[in-house]
Structure formats: structure tokens, C-alpha cells
Amino acid sequence: MTRTVDTFPTARIRSHSGGLPVEVALIAQLGIGYGDQLIAGASMRQRGHETYVDALDEPSARIGGVDIERGDATSLYTFAVGAKGHPFHRHAGHRVFTAISGSGGAQLRFSTASPAQIDEDPQHFVRGLHHVNIPADSLFTVRFGGGTWHQFAPLHGRSPHSALFALSCHTNEFGGDLTGELRERVAANEADIPSLTEVLPDALRDVLAALDPVRVPTVALSLHAAPVSLTGRICAWARSASGRVRGGWGRWRGAKGFLAHNGGGRVVAEQSAPPADSLLRSQLPDAFDHEDSFSLVTDAGELGTTSAREAMAAVLEGFIENNPPGVSRLMALRNVLVKPLGLRTSPLGCPVSSLLSPQADVLFANRFPVIAQRGNAADTRVEVVLGADDKHLRFRSCVGVDLCGDGRAVVTLGTRVRTTNLFGRSYMALIDRVHRRYITPTMLRLAVDHAVRGLGASGAG
């Protein structure tokens, strides 16, 4: 019997033992073959996680642990089930997860028989058994109570497709009948899916092996076309074929992730000219073709230090370690274009590119190459000059840190450029706008954000 519904197709399986029901809801179907591609990429990212564990044919990672001190007993896991499925098992606690099926679909198997019922008669395991079929490339949700036996596998035997990739919420990591040792592991954020898993005993596996799957009550959920229709079969074939290609493409291209910060939302202001006592005014004093000056004021106590030299070292490190990806891409393009001309290249933006210079005549904090440096005796103000000479121009940049009496800090970055030929003048005219509007303010913002976070101040972005 096939029934049409106007909302999410849902299977609600009553518990054989009177406990919580199993609920499976089909939410959406992705593009043809996309399930395999998504699973391939997500599985590679999962493999790179520090908590990754591969056991019980269910590779997983704990991406969010408990926080007992703040009263949070929830945990968040990712897990994958491959083309061979995984064994029947159960957990003590309640489970809720959202998953994507592979491009061959998935079959979810549940038995809600209680331990007492199974001890009385192992056939209760079979009587409490239900299957739910999920179509290919689909987003779906699952919820079931602690102690529910379950097993996930591809929809069809000998399938080349993974069954699913899931994001699972353990609503109470201490839920159910846990041993004292396991509770200690949970409290210490050392638990994982294998340690929280009880595999089906051999006696019940023998009972299951003797069962004809056709005799198991089964609900097939689908979207767009009934699963037993000709359209449904054609769609399943197309998704399976496309999934092999897209899954292979996903594995070949690898998986990367990126983190982009906006520098804590701090505001960088452009000044009309460098401060009157700035070291920058002593650089290229005879003539220059470009001059700019930018400043950023931190909140009171945000830098977490009373030493301007310590703050400066953290800012300079920020220019190197927290270089904006967009600036890096622009510099990579610039390097390709100017290398045939014999110009100097650097992965850092030009205002601070000399921080990677091999010259070590003058070092700030015994690490950073500078042209000049100056600070006051109270260690509340310090400046350094960076720069280099090239065939088409000479540039000097001045970075300053001024700790104010109210706990704030003013961090400045100014640059002077003298062009030496027509190419230099054309080059500066071409990059002037992006230099002022994007490169310098973004680099300053992210460098200060790196310093704030590195110095461990409260309220870091």
C-alpha cells in the first residue's frame, strides 16, 4: 500500500516493549549522486579530527563534548556507515541524529524488544524488528530511546555505495545504565561511540541469520516518486550511476576546510597622515609618491598586557600567522605576474612582507627583522620600521603600539612608497585603491585579533 502525504514522510514504530517509539522522517532529497560525494568529503574531514576513531565498521568523531561544570550533558558526534553496513548494536542513552544517505539509499533496522523479553524468548528480538528504507541522496532524521537495537546498511545488498553519514546528538551522555568507569570517561570527555556501544550477542545473531528479511515489517519512505513505481526505479538507477562518479570525484579532489575571521569586528580608521612623532616621517624624507596611515583602538584591557614590546611582538606574529586568505591569493597572483620581471616576491602583503626577510642585522624581540625600532623607558610605546627596496619602488612601513592610561591600546600601520621608474608608478596607481580599502586595514585587523587571542585577554574575538 502506498499513501501520499503533504508533509515529511515519516515512519513511527511503536516499541515492542512499551518504551519510546522509533521515529524516522524524510526531509529532502539532494541532487542526483550528491549523497556519495558528500559522504566522501565529510568522511575525509572526519578522519582528520583529533577524536577520530575507526571501530565497529562505524568511523566516528566527537566534535562536541560535555561541559559538566556548566550543566551541559549533551555531546555531538559524526559517524559514517560504509558499503558493508555495521553490526546490530545498542546504546544506553537516547539518540537523535540527522543523516545523508548514499547514492544507493539506506536501510535502517530497529528492534525495540527489551532485555527482559529477549531473556524470556530470543524470538522477541524478531517480533520487535522493523525496517525503514531511505531513498538515495536524502536528508533524514532519526530518533529512538536508549536500549533500542539498531543496524544501518545500504538499501541493496552488495552495493558499492556507503549507507550514510550522520550528525548525532547524544541528548544526555550520562543517560541509561552506564558503568561507573564509563561515567568517569564521559565526565572527562574521553568517551566515544565504540565505548558507548553494546554489540548484539552471538545467540541473537544466529536468530537474525535464520530470518527471512521479506518477513520483516518494512516502511519505504520517498519523495517525488513512489519507491515501487517505474519513475522511482529509474530515479534510483540514475542516482546510483551518478553517485559512483561523484563519489569518486569527491575522494579524488580531497577535502579541505577553511576558517575566516573578521578580526573580531574591530574598526580600522584611515588617518590623513602619520602621527607627527611617527618613525615613518623619518623614512624616505626627500620624496615619496604614496603615503597612508591606519589605526585601530582596542578596548580597555583587551590586549591583556602592560608591555608595549610584548604587544608589538604579538602583532608582528599576527601579520605572519593570521594573514588574510584574500590577501594571500592576491599576493600569489602578483608573484606569478612579476616573477618574470625579476621583482621580489613574498606570500605576505607588501606593507609587512619584509618580516620574512632573511636579513638579521636588526631584530625586534630577537625574531623579527626590522629597519629601525624605538620605544620609551616605561614600555608603553614602541615602533618598528619594515621595508625593502626593489627595482620599481622602495617602501617603508611603520607599525606602532601605544598603550593608553585607560587600558586601551592604539595600534598603527603606515606606509610610504617611492617609485623609481614608470613601471613602479603604474603599479602603485593600479593597486592604490585595493591597498587602502582592503589589504592594509584587513591585515591590521587580523594581526591585532591574533595578538588579542594569543595574549589570552578576556573578550578576545
Side-chain angles (χ1 to χ4, degrees):
M1 179 187 74
T2 300
R3 183 164 60 94
T4 302
V5 297
D6 295 326
T7 184
F8 307 117
T10 302
R12 191 172 191 273
I13 303 168
R14 294 177 59 186
S15 173
H16 183 70
S17 59
L20 293 173
V22 174
E23 296 173 311
V24 181
L26 186 59
I27 307 301
Q29 200 160 27
L30 309 179
I32 293 177
Y34 191 70
D36 277 9
Q37 183 177 345
L38 184 147
I39 292 173
S43 294
M44 282 188 280
R45 293 185 181 94
Q46 176 180 258
R47 198 175 302 124
H49 199 273
E50 61 183 359
T51 64
Y52 174 75
V53 58
D54 188 357
L56 303 177
D57 297 314
E58 186 180 1
S60 62
R62 186 186 69 253
I63 62 174
V66 299
D67 191 341
I68 305 304
E69 292 183 357
R70 293 179 173 84
D72 184 5
T74 64
S75 288
L76 200 60
Y77 291 83
T78 61
F79 70 87
V81 179
K84 296 181 180 179
H86 64 7
F88 248 109
H89 62 280
R90 67 179 180 179
H91 313 292
H94 188 254
R95 295 292 184 264
V96 179
F97 68 84
T98 300
I100 299 291
S101 61
S103 297
Q107 185 172 79
L108 317 180
R109 304 162 184 167
F110 304 96
S111 177
T112 53
S114 68
Q117 289 174 326
I118 294 173
D119 289 343
E120 177 188 334
D121 181 1
Q123 286 300 318
H124 274 292
F125 179 86
V126 175
R127 297 185 190 113
L129 191 62
H130 285 76
H131 293 173
V132 180
N133 292 347
I134 302 294
D137 307 322
S138 293
L139 172 69
F140 63 97
T141 64
V142 179
R143 183 169 72 159
F144 54 86
T148 301
W149 293 102
H150 55 284
Q151 180 186 44
F152 309 140
L155 184 55
H156 304 289
R158 298 182 180 178
S159 171
H161 308 283
S162 293
L164 57 88
F165 188 92
L167 179 64
S168 179
C169 177
H170 296 188
T171 56
N172 181 3
E173 197 73 301
F174 294 101
D177 187 17
L178 301 181
T179 65
E181 179 183 357
L182 191 51
R183 293 182 71 85
E184 290 179 2
R185 289 189 63 177
V186 169
N189 262 328
E190 296 176 352
D192 51 32
I193 286 182
S195 66
L196 297 166
T197 297
E198 177 188 352
V199 179
L200 194 69
D202 291 341
L204 289 180
R205 279 202 291 268
D206 294 339
V207 171
L208 190 62
L211 176 66
D212 182 358
V214 176
R215 299 178 62 84
V216 178
T218 301
V219 178
L221 307 178
S222 65
L223 298 167
H224 312 306
V228 294
S229 66
L230 177 60
T231 303
R233 292 190 180 97
I234 293 174
C235 180
W237 175 86
R239 289 180 179 278
S240 176
S242 178
R244 297 187 190 191
V245 175
R246 297 190 71 163
W249 166 252
R251 288 185 290 272
W252 178 81
R253 67 180 297 190
K256 294 181 180 179
F258 303 90
L259 293 174
H261 295 281
N262 70 346
R266 297 174 179 86
V267 177
V268 175
E270 183 174 7
Q271 312 299 317
S272 58
D277 56 352
S278 171
L279 264 181
L280 185 61
R281 291 185 176 271
S282 66
Q283 304 299 312
L284 308 178
D286 298 334
F288 52 86
D289 303 289
H290 169 95
E291 181 181 70
D292 62 57
S293 181
F294 295 84
S295 65
L296 186 157
V297 182
T298 68
D299 292 338
E302 193 176 20
L303 268 176
T305 181
T306 58
S307 167
R309 293 187 63 83
E310 182 181 25
M312 174 65 79
V315 170
L316 296 180
E317 181 182 69
F319 284 123
I320 299 172
E321 301 295 336
N322 203 26
N323 195 31
V327 174
S328 296
R329 288 190 289 269
L330 288 174
M331 290 303 298
L333 175 62
R334 179 253 183 210
N335 292 340
V336 170
L337 296 177
V338 304
K339 189 173 183 179
L341 303 178
L343 303 184
R344 63 187 296 273
T345 59
S346 174
L348 297 182
C350 284
V352 297
S353 60
S354 63
L355 285 173
L356 299 180
S357 170
Q359 73 89 10
D361 297 337
V362 181
L363 294 178
F364 178 82
N366 296 317
R367 175 183 174 187
F368 303 101
V370 298
I371 293 175
Q373 56 182 301
R374 181 176 67 185
N376 62 6
D379 196 15
T380 59
R381 186 177 183 186
V382 65
E383 293 177 283
V384 299
V385 175
L386 313 173
D389 298 339
D390 210 345
K391 292 181 178 180
H392 62 312
L393 57 78
R394 302 171 62 197
F395 81 90
R396 298 292 184 268
S397 294
C398 181
V399 184
V401 173
D402 190 357
L403 302 183
C404 307
D406 59 3
R408 296 180 303 158
V410 180
V411 185
T412 57
L413 173 59
T415 302
R416 277 183 174 180
V417 178
R418 178 188 297 170
T419 58
T420 57
N421 52 38
L422 177 61
F423 176 75
R425 290 189 290 274
S426 301
Y427 176 81
M428 286 305 302
L430 181 66
I431 71 164
D432 181 77
R433 184 178 180 86
V434 69
H435 175 87
R436 292 179 184 272
R437 297 290 183 88
Y438 174 65
I439 293 178
T440 299
T442 303
M443 292 182 65
L444 179 58
R445 184 182 300 112
L446 294 191
V448 172
D449 186 61
H450 178 88
V452 168
R453 289 184 283 115
L455 293 172
S458 60

